[in-house]
Amino acid sequence: MSRWSRRLVPSCKILVVEGDSPGYADLAQTVDTAVRLGAKVVSNSYGARENGLALSYARSYDRTDATIVAASGDSGFTAASYPAVFGSVVAVGGTTLFKDEFSPRGWTEITWQLSGSGCSAYVTKPKWQKDKSCGKRVTADISAAADNIAIYFAEAGGWLTTAGTSASSPFIAGLYGRVGAKPAPGALYQQASALFDITVGANDRDGSGTKCGGDYLCNAQPGYDAPTGLGTPNGLAAFK
């Protein structure tokens, strides 16, 4: 987990594990080490284009003793991102959140234009994913605000804004930490009604929604879509 998770769960214990390098083997070892040291939720804010070598480290991300969360990437609709592409990992996309005094919620969310989504070329489709345009694993599963995120950076003179699923991923990890459960990613698909469904926006960089042929792989729609998954958190019910 990270400082983003800490903002959600002030009482949580933050354990930072650093790899000796950003290579696949060292990053996988950080997950193994975090869980061995007692982490119940592991947030990963890194990603790479899926490939055979990367996928050989699947065992480190396939856990029954911890919930593994990963950013879906910041390149829009493209090849699926490792490690988010694993069926054992909760893949987190991103949204842009606006204050909206005219809506009952008080906020409006649309797809963040760079929120990562993809159809895997390698990973078998989990039984809990029922979408039709991709015969294998699709990312993302869920999303959270990833655009115009305020951070305090003393070395740069104070408050700045940033963007990325590297922020939305630990946010979701914090909610899992708050609940204290260790559900499989598929459990989210049984709790979709407990999320805010995002139905507007595209993530094919130019925002046209045409790169994926106009369907859910790069366009938000009612129900599941790849850029925002099942939606964004509405309390904690979806994480239990």
Side-chain angles (χ1 to χ4, degrees):
M1 296 172 69
S2 74
R3 65 184 183 276
W4 303 102
S5 305
R6 188 62 173 267
R7 292 180 180 181
L8 275 179
V9 192
S11 61
C12 71
K13 179 181 178 181
I14 302 297
L15 173 66
V16 178
V17 181
E18 297 183 357
D20 292 333
S21 79
Y24 299 133
D26 285 338
L27 290 172
Q29 188 174 22
T30 65
V31 176
D32 293 333
T33 300
V35 176
R36 178 172 55 81
L37 294 176
K40 300 304 180 185
V41 184
V42 180
S43 178
N44 302 281
S45 285
Y46 56 85
R49 186 186 181 101
E50 66 169 352
N51 59 60
L53 176 60
L55 299 183
S56 68
Y57 295 98
R59 185 169 62 177
S60 293
Y61 300 88
D62 188 1
R63 321 287 312 199
T64 59
D65 48 0
T67 300
I68 310 299
V69 180
S72 69
D74 302 340
S75 298
F77 175 60
T78 185
S81 180
Y82 157 93
V85 71
F86 290 131
S88 56
V89 172
V90 179
V92 183
T95 63
T96 299
L97 180 68
F98 302 96
K99 186 70 175 174
D100 181 3
E101 62 184 24
F102 299 105
S103 73
R105 179 185 173 192
W107 300 89
T108 293
E109 276 181 283
I110 65 173
T111 303
W112 180 45
Q113 195 168 324
L114 298 180
S115 178
S117 70
C119 171
S120 177
Y122 301 88
V123 179
T124 300
K125 194 170 199 67
K127 62 182 180 181
W128 32 264
Q129 279 197 322
K130 307 296 184 182
D131 56 288
K132 302 298 184 182
S133 293
C134 173
K136 294 188 181 295
R137 166 74 159 135
V138 177
T139 58
D141 297 312
I142 191 171
S143 55
D147 190 17
N148 200 33
I149 304 297
I151 62 170
Y152 188 81
F153 188 21
E155 291 83 353
W159 287 98
L160 303 172
T161 57
T162 188
T165 55
S166 291
S168 54
S169 176
F171 183 89
I172 295 297
L175 295 178
Y176 277 112
R178 180 73 176 271
V179 171
K182 297 188 289 294
L188 284 172
Y189 288 74
Q190 301 175 27
Q191 304 290 344
S193 62
L195 297 165
F196 290 115
D197 189 13
I198 309 304
T199 61
V200 176
N203 72 336
D204 56 352
R205 300 185 77 85
D206 66 0
S208 67
T210 60
K211 186 177 180 180
C212 63
D215 75 1
Y216 70 92
L217 289 176
C218 67
N219 290 273
Q221 64 172 24
Y224 178 80
D225 58 73
T228 65
L230 300 164
T232 60
N234 180 13
L236 298 174
F239 303 93
K240 297 180 178 178

